[in-house]
Amino acid sequence: MSDEFPPMIGKYKVTGIIAKGGMGVVYKAIHPSLKRYVVIKKMTARGKSASGNGERFKKEAQILLDMQSPYIVHLFDYFTEGGYRYMVEELVDGAALDKLIEKQTALPVPVAMLIMQDACYALKFAHSKDIVHRDIKPGNILISKRGEIKLADFGIASDADGDTITQSGVALGTPAYMPPEQFEDTASVDRRADIYALGIMLYEMITGTKPYPGTFSVETLNTIKKGKYISPRALDKTIPLSVCRLIHKMIRPKANSRFQSIDGVLRHVKSYLSHYDTHELRVQIAKSVYTSKTYDFPAIEPKDKVRRLVTRIVLAAVCAGAAFTFSWRAGAVHRSILSPWYAAVSVQMEMPKSLLNVMDLPSQAVFFENDNADIPEIKGSRRIFIKEEERFLNRLKTRFGKLKVDRPAAKNQLYVMKDVFVRKNADYRLKVVVGPYVWWKSFSVADENVSIKCDFLKNTTRNLKIRVDAYDSVTAEKIPSPVVLLSYKGKWTALEKIPETALRSAAVWKIKVFAEGYSEETYSLLIDWYQDDLIVSAALRRAD
């Protein structure tokens, strides 16, 4: 590899070459304002044969711009210079997971599960943005010397707009980690393909080998479609059955038989890790990455080993009490024995899907007695809202087992809560809290059950404040008085001429920024309804 490199690329000072291949070069450089090392990826392939790869390079940059997650490699910049395309990304100073597996052969199960947890968090965020990675593998999992785990390389990812680069019927990805449907048509796969690849990666982490051959052949594909592989426990009997079952469900050949979302995988992983000191596990990961030699992991024991043994002993003594408690909390006692004195109160709340899915805001309902004095809270009346279809499916699964219910997509989501039982012939108050929003309602209960509906967040938007500044893309000096235009009523209009009342959230705003002697930059930004302050820093290039 040649040691020669340009002293500057754009505004970045280059310090060396990290890697070089047929399609591009990866440089190590210094960010001029952040004063930190970054990675600059340069696409060197040119001509008609490289046009498809060039579009994927650009598409990856567009996708990464929205990937603001601590579990995903951060994109700082994307630009073209001298006919070449460049991406500036966060430098993860450590090693890729494939190199760690190669060095260690296999990882302790708790260590592998912690890596899985962070990979799940990365996919959870990507999937919430309708991004399917399509190339999950150890080589795209980066681990820093501080034990940070980040997902990289969205080069063949697809987004909500669909894959317009990959032709239908074409297979892209890494064969050893691809589910059967990806071999047939990469363009049509969904998030379940990422779940499959993550399951293959977990198998490889804990066994040091892959369940299926890494090279593609018709025989290999037929084996994958049959779902036949050697169980991890046949290779290592210390691997827990729960982890084997997790892998088995993740890599089922039929997409409908796998986990349907990464949340199901994450629940199993977090349940397993709840018995371990995750901080100590992360320290061990950092040490294994830091050393260039094979790292001798110490024995990793559950932090609650003694407590779990005691729990098993006590469990037999409390079964009867638990059964009664379950019946009480499920409302069986109130609906039967206490029905002459108690009525059920249910609450339904309609709000935008993004409120809980993206922001993860706390949402609950609390009931109070309305005696116009102390207004005491009703003991045991606090409730957490869940999606209406989750309760519906839970009830059907209890009666009929596993089944799938398809429902049409909607902007808003209906949330429900477990019924609260209150005394009849009395007055009450209901307090609903969703993040910063609070809603109060007074109501009375006679002899019948009460159903309350609230949709105060159904069509909520917020006043939007837009702030824009511009700086020279080379010198990083601030450009005074840039021109800022917004697409408003089908025309480009100066920001200061748009009424403040017209700037609202829950919309896509197109913004154009330019200045005398500089080329313009145009942005198309989706502002969720709960966001109210947009800051745009535009790096403008001098006009030729």
Side-chain angles (χ1 to χ4, degrees), residues 37 53 88 103 117 176 253 288 384 436 535:
Y37 284 109
N53 290 314
V88 182
K103 181 177 68 174
Q117 174 187 268
S288 67
I384 300 296
I535 302 171

Side-chain angles (χ1 to χ4, degrees), residues 2-9 13-18 20 25-29:
S2 173
D3 293 333
E4 295 182 3
F5 53 86
M8 298 289 294
I9 295 179
K13 181 180 179 181
V14 181
T15 62
I17 297 178
I18 297 175
K20 189 174 183 180
V25 183
V26 181
Y27 299 98
K28 185 176 181 180

Side-chain angles (χ1 to χ4, degrees), residues 115-147:
I115 295 173
M116 273 286 292
Q117 174 187 268
D118 289 4
C120 285
Y121 281 134
L123 283 180
K124 180 180 174 67
F125 185 87
H127 291 173
S128 74
K129 298 289 186 180
D130 292 324
I131 300 298
V132 182
H133 190 280
R134 303 197 301 188
D135 198 18
I136 298 296
K137 60 183 178 181
N140 288 335
I141 302 294
L142 305 183
I143 307 175
S144 75
K145 293 178 181 178
R146 296 183 298 276

